[in-house]
Amino acid sequence: MNTKHLLFTFSLVAVAAFASAQTKTVANPADANKGYIVKVGDTAPADFELALTDGTKTSLQQLRGKVVILQFTASWCSVCREEMPHLESDVWQPYKDKGLVLIGVDRDEPLEKVKGFQQQMNISYPLALDPGADIFGRFANKKSGVTRNVVIDRDGKIVYLTRLYDKQEFASMLKAVDALVNSKTASLN
């Protein structure tokens, strides 16, 4: 009876390990897209308007012909706060006069909070409001987190996607941005 009990226990452990491995295998593809519903090479969704904190409005349609980075952010996001000074110094300041537009898209926070956040972070690139995370939802699953950058070429194609703030990924994004800004051709594909 002891042997049967031991075999039964071993079988349960083996089945549990197999099930766990299967769950991880299924979850990996979701990790690979990092919660995005768009991918590199797609035309960026452009059926929305960006309401900036200064009261002006723009859209990806209006920005066609420029390299655009949409940085999805929120005041409560610590990783966003870590990344934003680098976006200001390494992306916005060097490229803002070279045909690049960087817009922080603040997830579902009111105007006054977003203005305060921009001031706290000491950033000069514009922030836009995203009530209900509707803009965010055009690029990523709404249940996914912020701290994302979507790099869009002059033709409106997505050429780079980031998630969280990883120094190596950020450096790769910078190379892509530099190539786009300093190239007469619109795409890296």
Side-chain angles (χ1 to χ4, degrees):
M1 187 124 170
N2 223 356
T3 306
K4 285 183 184 178
H5 186 297
L6 185 61
L7 282 173
F8 179 75
T9 303
F10 177 78
S11 297
L12 281 177
V13 170
V15 168
F18 179 78
S20 176
Q22 293 303 307
T23 301
K24 288 179 184 165
T25 302
V26 171
N28 282 341
D31 291 342
N33 71 13
K34 301 177 182 182
Y36 279 105
I37 59 174
V38 296
K39 62 186 180 307
V40 170
D42 287 355
T43 297
D47 60 338
F48 59 88
E49 190 172 64
L50 293 156
L52 305 179
T53 57
D54 67 1
T56 61
K57 294 182 179 181
T58 191
S59 68
L60 290 181
Q61 296 287 358
Q62 290 175 304
L63 297 172
R64 192 65 54 95
K66 296 181 184 270
V67 175
V68 177
I69 301 175
L70 297 179
Q71 178 234 356
F72 290 98
T73 189
S75 66
W76 45 262
C77 171
S78 62
V79 179
C80 299
R81 288 175 174 270
E82 181 183 355
E83 181 184 57
M84 290 172 85
H86 300 284
L87 287 166
E88 174 74 22
S89 65
D90 301 342
V91 177
W92 181 239
Q93 290 305 321
Y95 297 110
K96 68 181 179 182
D97 297 325
K98 296 181 179 181
L100 176 127
V101 176
L102 168 61
I103 299 174
V105 182
D106 189 278
R107 183 180 176 140
D108 204 22
E109 295 185 298
L111 177 61
E112 291 310 313
K113 184 156 198 108
V114 177
K115 283 182 172 180
F117 176 42
Q118 186 172 24
Q119 195 170 28
Q120 278 179 351
M121 293 307 302
N122 196 30
I123 56 165
S124 62
Y125 61 87
L127 291 183
L129 304 176
D130 188 12
D134 291 335
I135 298 169
F136 181 84
R138 286 172 170 79
F139 292 88
N141 182 314
K142 281 191 181 185
K143 293 180 181 176
S144 301
V146 289
T147 314
R148 296 173 182 274
N149 295 296
V150 177
V151 181
I152 304 165
D153 72 11
R154 291 180 179 95
D155 292 328
K157 296 272 189 211
I158 297 171
V159 296
Y160 208 91
L161 298 167
T162 70
R163 172 72 178 112
L164 298 173
Y165 174 63
D166 174 83
K167 290 178 183 179
Q168 286 181 306
E169 184 178 59
F170 191 85
S172 291
M173 181 186 75
L174 279 178
K175 287 179 185 175
V177 167
D178 188 68
L180 286 168
V181 171
N182 291 312
S183 168
K184 296 297 177 197
T185 58
S187 179
L188 288 178
N189 295 337

